[in-house]
Amino acid sequence: MASAMDLYLVAVPSIAALALFALKKGFLTVRGTVSAIAVGSIVVVAHAGLFLLLIAFFVSSSLLTRLRAEWKRAMGLKDVSGRSLRQVAGVGTPIAVFGLLYIATGDPRFLGAAAVAVATANADTWASEVGVAYGGRPRHVLAPWRTLEPGVSGGVTPVGATASFAGALFIAFLAKPLGVGGPLWKIAVFGYLGEVLDSVLGATLQVKYICNGRVSESPMAGCRRRGLLSNEAVNLVSGLAVGALFAATV
């Protein structure tokens, strides 16, 4: 069996090449590229199948980010300029943490938890990108009688919710043949629940700015700030929480 050092000698240059290609294509910023190399290096040593799941998430989500990209940019709804260091760290840290735990213990529950973290990240990104592009005006996840501006965290649409479950199911279908995680249904359900938790945290704890009754995630003069967590912190907490719950219930 190849040692961890042997794997690093082969894998890290390949990961760096993929990350630099993503940088060239505009899917990552420079600092996001550095973060992606770090996360990918940990994940590939933990399990090759988990690394392929991570690639599937990154490729599919990056492509969906480009849906109606010019319209999103014009409306100020989404950043389509490439994933930053904080964005990569927010979704990648839970996957890397569970990957490290699997390396340290060999316990397959942590490998499954890492797969669930990937499914959560994929579900969240698919929901966000497809929902913003085609979902219309969202409703507050905890108060559906209230509407929110498109792109504001905590808002959900039927289109976005469907895309969310499809994103989790996509990762679950790939996980089984790659030898990662537990039952397909469990990875899909936990991944979807992770996105629901992300929406709830986004609605209640994520930083927002209130101006004359209008809620925005962009700071503006004269606006009242509320909330504690950044979007990246919400992603991190959601991924860690559902991954840990999965590991505890296997």
Side-chain angles (χ1 to χ4, degrees), residues 44 51 56 66 72 74 77 122 134 139 149 180 200 211 221 224 226 229:
V44 75
F51 178 69
R66 302 306 171 94
K72 292 176 187 175
L77 292 176
N122 205 55
Y134 301 110
R139 294 186 175 275
E149 295 293 328
V180 183
V200 171
C211 296
R224 179 167 56 89
R226 76 173 189 190
L229 302 178

Side-chain angles (χ1 to χ4, degrees), residues 15 18-20 22-23 27-40 58 81-89 91:
I15 293 166
L18 286 171
L20 290 172
L23 172 65
F27 295 135
L28 291 169
T29 64
V30 173
R31 294 200 299 170
T33 300
V34 174
S35 182
I37 292 171
V39 171
F58 177 72
S81 60
R83 295 178 184 276
S84 67
L85 184 151
R86 290 200 310 170
Q87 290 171 324
V88 173
V91 299

Side-chain angles (χ1 to χ4, degrees), residues 51-61 118 122 126 170-171 174:
F51 178 69
L52 292 176
L53 277 189
L54 189 61
I55 292 294
F57 154 66
F58 177 72
V59 171
S60 66
S61 297
V118 177
N122 205 55
W126 283 31
F170 172 69
I171 295 298
L174 293 178

